[in-house]
């Protein structure tokens, strides 16, 4: 039994020996192959990192040494990615290329804009060439032709310094020339310029308006001279010119005659109105002129109208102070003139204050403080025996007989006047504050305005309609100037809102004091021409084409007129 197991064991051992021997041989063969492969790999590694001049190696293995150059130091494969100077060089190169592209873009845009200053185009082109020349410089070109791992740091620093200098010059040039290219900057600069010019224009307009106001409202030296010489004559010969103690001529109160009302402190202007009216009247002896002035000019006015006959016309000269009912207890304007605020409005004497409200500066004229300007609202009380009166401003010239006005059927209306509206101009909205509820409720903003200067008043209708009371009501309501600015036209438009009779435009042609485009045919056909505006005919600023219409009625033969050098 034991022998049997032994024999079987041996049989088993003898059968397995050859199999284990074959497996061991295979393992050894594999280990040898791996060893050979490792040796071969290291041999290749050594081969590619060794110094070689054989060009065929490049061909056989497909590797190129172009960017590393010849003579590089042997390094390991891992060392190929470890150079710290390479990113720095790339960054400097990129900055140079970016700024070169920028100046090329500016140069191209400058050519498209066809800038007058072609120097900019040349400068940008030169900057672009500087960048190219810098990169192609032999000492700097080596930075790009050698192995990045062998970059010379001193050369790199010099290259970086020169690049930064050119970048600085480029940015400075672009900054200086930016406004020629940057549309947003151009627009902003243009806006700033426009704003500055508008400020200057506004200031110039205010100063011009103020200067124009002074030129228009100041008394010329010759006119002042005439008033003084006439007053001197009045003082020297009081008995010749005074009306005190004399019987009042019945013609002054005769309602059957043609009566005119002229309120003025301008001696020469008032004489021209009377002279032109009497010379063109068919029956001048039937015409009565009621001239009212202030106390200061009363003597001069009395002398002026006593010096000649005026073709037999009757002339009454009085001072406003002679009408005792005109006092602050009855007249709202006189009461308001005592207000400190109103006096401040007129008499602030600085240019800035005087020109705050340029649009309505003409209403700051102190003439609106004069009661002479408001006498037109008291005609029925001044002339209680009369039925009709023709009111004339002192800056008009009569060219035809005006008696036809007394033949007009007034249809129960109070005021006969020429309307001045056309299109949207000269409507009530331009004279009154329609944002005020009282004005908005009572009046139509599109209602047509009319002109003062030649107004035919039916005094009987005036008394019936109680127009003076209406005027007082509205004048009291406007004490703080919220309904309209100062002046006499707005309260006139209000007072005679529904009681105005439109007259034919040929009766009254306006604008000779501001509008040079009025046709001479229109002027020739007019019964009355009106020099309303700043360019009054007695001023140096008068329009030359219209001035002769007025000067031909000046009595240059009078010694007082000659002595004051009128017309010289």
């Amino acid at each position: 039994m034991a022998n049997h197991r032994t024999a079987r064991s041996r049989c088993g051992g003898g059968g397995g020996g050859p199999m284990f021997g074959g497996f061991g041989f295979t393992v050894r063969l594999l280990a040898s192959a791996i060893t050979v492969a490792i040796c071969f790999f290291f041999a290749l590694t050594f081969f590619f990192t060794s110094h070689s001049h054989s060009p065929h190696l490049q061909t056989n293995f497909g590797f190129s040494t172009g960017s590393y150059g010849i003579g590089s130091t042997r390094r390991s494969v891992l060392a190929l990615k470890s150079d710290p100077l390479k990113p720095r060089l790339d960054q400097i190169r990129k900055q140079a290329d970016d700024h070169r592209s920028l100046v090329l873009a500016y140069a191209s845009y400058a050519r498209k804009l066809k800038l007058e200053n072609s120097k900019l185009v040349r400068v940008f082109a030169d900057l672009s060439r500087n960048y190219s020349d810098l990169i192609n410089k032999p000492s700097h070109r080596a930075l790009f032709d050698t192995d990045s791992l062998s970059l010379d740091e001193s050369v790199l620093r010099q290259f970086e310094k020169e690049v930064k200098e050119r970048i600085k010059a480029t940015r400075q040039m672009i900054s200086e020339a930016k406004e020629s290219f940057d549309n947003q900057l151009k627009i902003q600069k243009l806006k700033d310029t426009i704003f500055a010019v508008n400020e200057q224009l506004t200031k110039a307009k205010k100063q011009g308006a103020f200067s124009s106001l002074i030129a228009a409202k100041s008394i010329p030296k010759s006119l002042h001279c005439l008033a003084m010489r006439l007053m001197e004559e009045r003082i020297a010969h009081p008995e010749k010119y005074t009306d005190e103690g004399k019987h009042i001529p019945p013609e002054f109160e005769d309602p059957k005659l043609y009566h005119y009302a002229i309120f003025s402190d301008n001696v020469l202007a008032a004489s021209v109105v009377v002279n032109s009216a009497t010379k063109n009247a068919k029956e001048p002896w039937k015409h009565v002129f009621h001239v009212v002035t202030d106390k200061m000019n009363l003597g001069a006015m009395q002398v002026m109208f006593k010096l000649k006959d005026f073709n037999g016309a009757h002339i009454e000269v009085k001072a406003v102070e002679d009408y005792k009912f005109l006092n602050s207890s009855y007249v709202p304007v006189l009461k308001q003139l005592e207000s400190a605020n109103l006096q401040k409005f007129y008499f602030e004497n600085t240019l800035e204050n005087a020109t705050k409200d340029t649009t309505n500066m003409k209403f700051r004229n102190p003439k609106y403080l004069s009661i002479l300007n408001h006498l037109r609202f008291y005609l029925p009380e001044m002339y209680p025996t009369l039925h009709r009166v023709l009111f004339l401003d002192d800056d008009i010239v009569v060219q035809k007989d005006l008696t036809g006005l007394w033949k007009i059927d007034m249809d129960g209306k109070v005021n006969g006047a020429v309307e001045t509206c056309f299109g949207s101009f000269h409507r009530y909205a331009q004279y009154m504050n329609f944002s005020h509820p009282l004005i908005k409720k009572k009046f139509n903003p599109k209602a047509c305005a009319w002109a003062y200067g030649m107004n035919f008043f039916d005094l009987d209708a005036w008394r019936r309609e109680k127009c003076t009371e209406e005027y007082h009501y509205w004048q009291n309501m406007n004490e703080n100037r919220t309904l309209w600015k100062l002046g006499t036209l707005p309260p006139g438009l209000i007072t005679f809102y529904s009681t105005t009779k439109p007259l034919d435009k040929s009766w009254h042609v306006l604008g000779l004091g501001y509008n040079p485009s009025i046709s001479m045919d229109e002027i020739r056909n007019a019964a009355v021409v009106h020099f309303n505006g700043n360019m009054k005919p007695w001023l140096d600023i008068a329009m030359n084409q219209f001035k002769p219409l007025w000067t031909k009625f000046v009595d240059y033969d009078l010694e007082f007129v000659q002595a004051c050098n009128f017309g010289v």
Side-chain angles (χ1 to χ4, degrees), residues 87-355:
R88 184 176 169 187
L89 175 63
D90 291 341
Q91 183 179 7
I92 297 171
R93 174 69 180 269
K94 185 176 184 303
Q95 288 179 346
D97 287 342
D98 288 346
H99 283 79
R100 178 175 175 272
S101 300
L102 185 61
V103 294
L104 284 174
Y106 270 95
S108 176
Y109 191 48
R111 291 188 190 95
K112 289 180 180 179
L113 292 178
K114 297 180 181 179
L115 294 179
E116 294 180 2
N117 189 0
S118 59
K119 181 181 178 182
L120 286 176
V121 180
R122 294 196 301 271
V123 170
F124 285 130
D126 291 343
L127 283 173
S128 175
R129 283 193 295 271
N130 285 343
Y131 282 108
S132 299
D133 295 343
L134 181 63
I135 294 174
N136 293 325
K137 194 174 180 180
S139 59
H140 298 156
R141 191 63 194 169
L143 293 171
F144 305 101
D145 292 340
T146 61
D147 188 343
S148 62
L149 297 174
S150 64
L151 296 177
D152 188 335
E153 190 170 357
S154 63
V155 176
L156 183 60
R157 281 202 196 97
Q158 181 63 28
F159 177 65
E160 183 179 19
K161 180 181 178 182
E162 295 185 25
V163 168
K164 286 184 176 180
E165 288 176 353
R166 282 163 174 76
I167 289 175
K168 182 179 179 181
T170 300
R171 289 178 177 175
Q172 183 177 355
M173 186 62 201
I174 290 174
S175 177
E176 292 174 354
K178 193 172 184 181
E179 66 179 72
S180 298
F181 301 92
D182 191 332
N183 290 335
Q184 203 64 28
L185 185 62
K186 280 183 179 180
I187 293 172
Q188 187 58 46
K189 187 173 181 180
L190 185 59
K191 285 182 178 179
D192 293 342
T193 302
I194 292 173
F195 179 79
V197 171
N198 279 335
E199 286 290 306
Q200 293 176 354
L201 180 60
T202 301
K203 185 178 180 180
K205 281 183 176 180
K206 288 182 177 181
Q207 291 176 338
F210 188 67
S211 299
S212 176
L213 185 65
I214 292 174
K217 307 308 177 184
S218 298
I219 300 175
K221 184 178 179 180
S222 56
L223 195 59
H224 180 71
C225 167
L226 178 62
M228 292 300 99
R229 288 186 178 273
L230 291 171
M231 193 62 191
E232 182 183 24
E233 172 70 11
R234 172 67 174 79
I235 295 172
H237 305 94
E239 70 285 350
K240 291 175 60 176
Y241 305 106
T242 184
D243 292 327
E244 294 181 7
K246 293 183 179 180
H247 178 69
I248 298 176
E251 291 83 3
F252 291 173
E253 298 178 353
D254 187 352
K256 297 178 182 179
L257 300 180
Y258 305 108
H259 292 265
Y260 301 79
I262 303 169
F263 308 139
S264 174
D265 58 1
N266 187 326
V267 178
L268 188 65
S271 71
V272 167
V273 175
V274 175
N275 201 21
S276 63
T278 55
K279 284 188 175 181
N280 287 287
K282 295 177 181 178
E283 299 175 309
W285 54 90
K286 292 185 178 180
H287 295 254
V288 182
F289 296 87
H290 302 272
V291 179
V292 181
T293 186
D294 53 30
K295 201 72 174 178
M296 185 175 67
N297 291 284
L298 178 61
M301 203 75 78
Q302 287 174 335
V303 174
M304 173 61 81
F305 288 106
K306 291 281 187 179
L307 289 176
K308 60 177 296 184
D309 180 61
F310 291 98
N311 297 328
H314 307 281
I315 302 171
E316 178 189 38
V317 179
K318 298 183 73 172
V320 66
E321 290 80 4
D322 294 333
Y323 297 93
K324 302 303 180 183
F325 70 92
L326 295 173
N327 53 65
S328 59
S329 63
Y330 178 67
V331 180
V333 170
L334 291 178
K335 183 178 180 180
Q336 292 168 11
L337 292 180
E338 298 173 355
S339 165
N341 288 334
L342 195 62
Q343 292 176 10
K344 182 180 179 182
F345 177 81
Y346 277 115
F347 294 111
E348 282 183 326
N349 57 3
T350 64
L351 176 62
E352 179 184 359
N353 290 334
T355 57

Side-chain angles (χ1 to χ4, degrees), residues 398-419:
V398 178
Q399 299 188 129
K400 293 182 179 180
D401 182 76
L402 299 178
T403 55
L405 289 167
W406 275 262
K407 300 174 183 177
I408 294 177
D409 183 1
M410 292 291 287
D411 298 323
K413 303 295 185 181
V414 176
N415 173 34
V418 170
E419 293 182 331

Side-chain angles (χ1 to χ4, degrees), residues 394-397 512-513 531 534-540 542-543 546-551:
D394 63 359
D395 55 353
I396 64 99
V397 171
L512 277 70
F531 289 83
N534 285 339
M535 300 178 185
K536 300 299 184 186
W538 54 83
L539 299 175
D540 291 335
M543 285 184 275
F546 301 143
K547 194 170 183 177
L549 298 172
W550 184 84
T551 56

Side-chain angles (χ1 to χ4, degrees), residues 48 52-66 70:
F48 283 114
S52 175
H53 297 283
S54 303
H56 68 278
L57 290 175
Q58 301 174 14
T59 304
N60 291 341
F61 295 97
F63 291 101
S64 173
T65 61
I70 301 173

